[in-house]
């Protein structure tokens, strides 16, 4: 097994696979997502959409339409607890691959695009014929073909639990080591970390934010894709939400 790392998506992405060719294909897939959906790059497809969609319909690539569509799906399912538009998700009008904003706004897909990139990298790995692989983008991960052990830790890196990923994805939203949650929108009181396991990383990525925020829609959102969440409280206690058979201790 070979493991390599590169900086993408605002974090360090690690890919483990059977061959260098498979890893190259995985990083190429990650790079395509990064370049298309980076809201801080004025030349990206997302930035183009943010500039123009308030004024006229914008035709999207299949990639951008898929990610924005899934972001809107989770915004609706969570009643806005997950929101890539900072409070204006109902104004984002996506019909097929045509995007229009009903009010001036700027989508930021950083809360879901990282998971999507992990999924695309896994597809790329499998297309090379590799039988085992793990893609880890700063804690948003997906593994296949083997049992991949993962440790859940507090922000201070103290271990709390160990799980094993079997052809599944895991994403985590957590306090920073300094105790701040400025990078999250609405971390619920008493929660220091929320991890979600499900099949696709794009869904685990969004759901980790929904679970971290708490609220009445958490269980229903998890049930939508058969996901399970592990929540670490301020005292280090571990709470599981969802199907107890989904995670192996």
């Amino acid at each position: 097994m070979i493991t390599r790392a590169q900086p993408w998506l605002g974090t360090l992405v690690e890919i483990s696979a059977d061959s260098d060719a498979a890893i190259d294909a995985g990083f190429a897939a990650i790079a395509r997502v990064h370049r298309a959906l980076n809201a801080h790059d004025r030349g990206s497809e997302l930035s183009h959409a943010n500039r123009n969609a308030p004024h006229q319909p914008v035709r999207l690539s299949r990639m951008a339409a898929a990610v924005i569509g899934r972001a809107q799906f989770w915004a609706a399912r969570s009643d806005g607890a997950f929101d890539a538009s900072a409070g204006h998700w109902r104004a984002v009008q996506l019909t097929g691959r045509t995007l229009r904003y009903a009010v001036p706004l700027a989508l930021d897909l950083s809360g879901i695009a990282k998971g999507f990139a992990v999924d695309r990298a896994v597809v790329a790995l499998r297309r090379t014929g590799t039988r085992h692989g793990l893609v880890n983008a700063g804690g948003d991960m997906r593994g296949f073909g083997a049992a991949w052990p993962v440790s859940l830790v507090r922000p201070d890196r103290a271990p709390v639990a160990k799980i094993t990923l079997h052809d599944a994805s895991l994403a985590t939203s957590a306090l920073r080591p300094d105790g701040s949650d400025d990078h999250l929108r609405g971390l619920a009181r008493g929660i220091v970390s929320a991890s979600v396991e499900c099949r696709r990383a794009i869904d685990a990525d969004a759901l980790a934010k929904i679970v971290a925020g708490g609220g009445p829609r958490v269980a229903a959102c998890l049930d939508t894709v058969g996901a399970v969440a592990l929540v670490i409280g301020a005292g280090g206690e571990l709470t599981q939400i969802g199907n107890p058979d989904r995670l192996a201790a």
Side-chain angles (χ1 to χ4, degrees):
M1 186 66 64
I2 304 166
T3 299
R4 285 171 29 206
Q6 292 183 10
W8 290 106
L9 307 165
T11 190
L12 190 65
V13 180
E14 292 186 349
I15 299 181
S16 300
D18 298 336
S19 69
D20 281 317
I23 292 175
D24 287 343
F27 279 126
I30 294 277
R32 285 191 290 272
V33 177
H34 175 98
R35 291 171 180 141
L37 302 182
N38 184 354
H40 305 291
D41 179 357
R42 284 189 56 81
S44 72
E45 181 180 2
L46 179 59
S47 292
H48 171 79
N50 283 337
R51 286 193 300 271
N52 292 281
H55 312 293
Q56 61 190 27
V58 174
R59 182 71 169 170
L60 299 174
S61 67
R62 288 185 176 87
M63 175 192 297
V67 179
I68 293 172
R70 202 59 176 170
Q72 288 299 97
F73 171 85
W74 286 118
R77 294 293 291 180
S78 67
D79 198 22
F82 178 84
D83 183 5
S85 64
H88 300 290
W89 61 272
R90 291 184 177 87
V92 178
Q93 301 169 354
L94 180 65
T95 304
R97 289 168 55 190
T98 300
L99 180 69
R100 183 77 161 86
Y101 299 162
V103 300
L105 63 92
L107 283 178
D108 181 348
L109 298 173
S110 58
I112 195 168
K114 190 162 62 171
F116 176 77
V118 169
D119 288 332
R120 297 310 302 164
V122 166
V123 170
L125 291 177
R126 284 176 157 158
R127 283 176 177 167
T128 68
T130 192
R131 295 179 297 171
H132 309 91
L134 178 71
V135 181
N136 183 353
D140 287 6
M141 62 186 72
R142 181 171 174 177
F144 65 94
W148 298 94
V150 179
S151 294
L152 300 182
V153 300
R154 290 169 49 89
D156 62 5
R157 309 306 297 173
V160 175
K162 290 185 178 181
I163 65 172
T164 304
L165 286 183
H166 297 272
D167 294 317
S169 301
L170 184 80
T172 299
S173 290
L175 290 173
R176 290 193 174 111
D178 63 5
S180 70
D181 63 350
D182 295 340
H183 62 305
L184 298 175
R185 294 192 182 106
L187 194 71
R189 185 177 181 85
I191 293 178
V192 299
S193 173
S195 298
V196 172
E197 183 266 356
C198 62
R199 188 175 69 85
R200 297 198 305 168
I202 189 173
D203 294 327
D205 200 4
L207 283 165
K209 280 80 174 177
I210 294 169
V211 174
R217 302 288 296 169
V218 166
C221 286
L222 291 170
D223 287 346
T224 300
V225 291
V228 62
L230 287 175
V231 178
I232 300 174
E237 67 279 8
L238 187 69
T239 302
Q240 183 166 314
I241 309 171
N243 185 345
D245 296 328
R246 291 290 303 203
L247 291 177

